[in-house]
Amino acid sequence: DLKPFQERLLEIRQLIDREKEKEAGEDRDDSLRPEIRLVSRRLRQCEKELAVLEETTRVIGDGLMPIYEELVFIRRRLTALSILPHDTAVSEAKELQKRLIDIDDTRVDDRFVNPDDGSVAEGQTQVVGLLEECFDRLHDLMAEGSTVPADMMPIYERLTDVRVQLEKLLLTSRWTLRETDLWSYQVQLQEIDAMRHNGQFKDATGEPAPQQAQAALNFLLHKCYNLVYKLLSSSEPVAESLMPVHNQLRTLRRCLLEVKKYGGPLSARDLYPYQMKLSSIDNLRSDGKFLDDEGHIPEGQGVVMSLLNECYDLMYELMASE
């Protein structure tokens, strides 16, 4: 999780060092330009914060070590199951899901604590990150493409291709992208999104696709929107006037992901509060845009829209599991 920040800060450090060398070579009598001093000071602050975060990932307390070792085992099993036929793997995957939920339930206020004295255990970042990774791999496995009918495979393959391309961008160009660079991917996702009717994909006969196929397609679509959100949030600022909407959507997304962890069955009544909240946020838009108090279009539309779309897809994915 920290590697992209390490690489980006190193790039900035190298740029500043080159500027300092250039000014030194010009034998300037005055000190460094004010903007260089400002950026250098901000960079040092970021490097200090990064060092603190890195330190938290190096130590895992004795109280957390058994959970950490079990999560490592579960991750290995999920990797092994991913190469087996879906029908063969899904039964063990469900057992692993139960165990992950049991581990998640041991947290107190989202933190793992020492069993002896109830204090916060060292190594939260690493263990919680591993737990979330296991949940992600589990959902990947449960939504495997063999459940998709032949007449819907073009949609599945198209989504898979978009996901692969976005994951490559996340690794190689995360910090240098602009919203326009992602436009073609957003258009493709919107086109696929428009194929749904009431949140459901239809087969060649016009009937809703089987439940497992719905879950697989909705999961992939949600994954793609999540990648777009990560890419945009790394490069596009969100205006202060748009932050309340952004924060509400992040909270809603976190709630939906928590519901998704525990799986079904879920009724329409269970999901109703989340649907109402999502609709109330969506209704704030005017002509498809979120506006500020003065009627202007603030920065961060792409980030917020990706987050809104991701929430909708999480909702449709949960509805498909009813």
Side-chain angles (χ1 to χ4, degrees):
D1 291 336
L2 296 177
K3 189 174 181 180
F5 300 98
Q6 294 167 338
E7 293 174 349
R8 184 57 173 163
L9 289 178
L10 179 60
E11 290 174 6
I12 297 172
R13 169 61 65 191
Q14 291 170 345
L15 288 172
I16 291 175
D17 289 343
R18 282 199 293 270
E19 286 296 317
K20 288 181 178 179
E21 290 173 4
K22 188 187 300 183
E23 293 196 3
E26 294 173 356
D27 295 327
R28 293 179 51 158
D29 295 332
D30 55 341
S31 58
L32 290 173
R33 297 197 309 271
E35 61 268 26
I36 297 295
R37 292 202 304 273
L38 175 62
V39 174
S40 296
R41 186 164 62 251
R42 292 289 177 84
L43 178 61
R44 287 194 297 271
Q45 291 172 351
C46 291
E47 287 172 336
K48 287 179 181 178
E49 291 184 17
L50 180 63
V52 172
L53 291 172
E54 287 174 334
E55 187 62 30
T56 64
T57 66
R58 294 193 181 103
V59 181
I60 297 178
D62 294 338
L64 262 188
M65 190 55 71
I67 292 176
Y68 175 76
E69 291 173 348
E70 184 172 4
L71 287 172
V72 170
F73 169 77
I74 290 174
R75 183 175 63 178
R76 287 175 181 162
R77 284 304 304 154
L78 289 170
T79 302
L81 291 174
S82 66
I83 63 175
L84 298 178
H86 183 263
D87 293 340
T88 305
V90 73
S91 58
E92 184 176 348
K94 288 181 178 178
E95 292 301 316
L96 293 175
Q97 182 184 36
K98 291 178 184 176
R99 184 56 196 142
L100 287 173
I101 290 172
D102 289 341
I103 293 173
D104 197 22
D105 285 342
T106 63
R107 291 199 282 175
V108 178
D109 295 330
D110 293 330
R111 293 173 179 269
F112 289 104
V113 298
N114 290 309
D116 299 333
D117 55 10
S119 61
V120 176
E122 288 185 307
Q124 296 290 317
T125 304
Q126 201 160 348
V127 176
V128 172
L130 187 55
L131 177 63
E132 296 297 333
E133 182 185 345
C134 287
F135 271 118
D136 282 343
R137 291 193 180 202
L138 177 69
H139 292 309
D140 268 334
L141 183 63
M142 302 287 276
E144 201 268 333
S146 64
T147 61
V148 178
D151 60 343
M152 304 194 75
M153 280 305 292
I155 301 175
Y156 179 84
E157 290 170 354
R158 189 177 175 189
L159 281 169
T160 301
D161 182 60
V162 172
R163 176 183 173 180
V164 169
Q165 295 299 320
L166 290 171
E167 286 176 338
K168 286 180 181 177
L169 289 174
L170 193 65
L171 290 173
T172 60
S173 309
R174 179 172 185 171
W175 303 102
T176 56
L177 283 171
R178 296 166 298 177
E179 185 177 357
T180 51
D181 298 325
L182 295 170
W183 177 250
S184 63
Y185 300 106
Q186 290 175 296
V187 169
Q188 289 187 69
L189 294 176
Q190 289 166 4
E191 288 174 354
I192 296 171
D193 211 338
M195 296 177 185
R196 295 188 296 190
H197 300 278
N198 296 323
Q200 293 188 320
F201 288 98
K202 302 294 180 71
D203 59 21
T205 65
E207 294 297 318
Q211 181 176 320
Q212 285 185 315
Q214 295 284 350
L217 293 171
N218 281 318
F219 171 79
L220 260 182
L221 191 56
H222 148 238
K223 197 76 174 179
C224 289
Y225 274 127
N226 179 250
L227 287 167
V228 170
Y229 170 71
K230 286 181 179 179
L231 287 164
L232 285 173
S233 60
S234 299
S235 57
E236 181 187 1
V238 177
E240 186 176 351
S241 59
L242 208 51
M243 285 305 296
V245 174
H246 180 262
N247 291 338
Q248 287 182 60
L249 285 170
R250 287 191 62 182
T251 301
L252 181 58
R253 173 180 173 270
R254 187 164 60 248
C255 292
L256 291 171
L257 286 171
E258 288 296 316
V259 173
K260 179 183 170 183
K261 278 183 188 178
Y262 289 81
L266 296 166
S267 66
R269 184 175 181 179
D270 294 328
L271 298 174
Y272 181 74
Y274 305 107
Q275 288 177 295
M276 288 296 294
K277 182 60 179 177
L278 192 53
S279 295
S280 69
I281 296 173
D282 201 356
N283 289 335
L284 296 174
R285 291 193 291 166
S286 176
D287 294 328
K289 301 285 186 181
F290 290 100
L291 306 180
D292 59 20
D293 294 338
E294 298 178 355
H296 300 145
I297 300 175
E299 281 188 308
Q301 296 290 320
V303 176
V304 175
M305 284 304 302
S306 294
L307 198 50
L308 178 67
N309 287 327
E310 186 186 349
C311 287
Y312 268 118
D313 283 301
L314 278 168
M315 182 69 68
Y316 290 141
E317 194 180 340
L318 291 169
M319 291 169 66
S321 67
E322 288 181 21

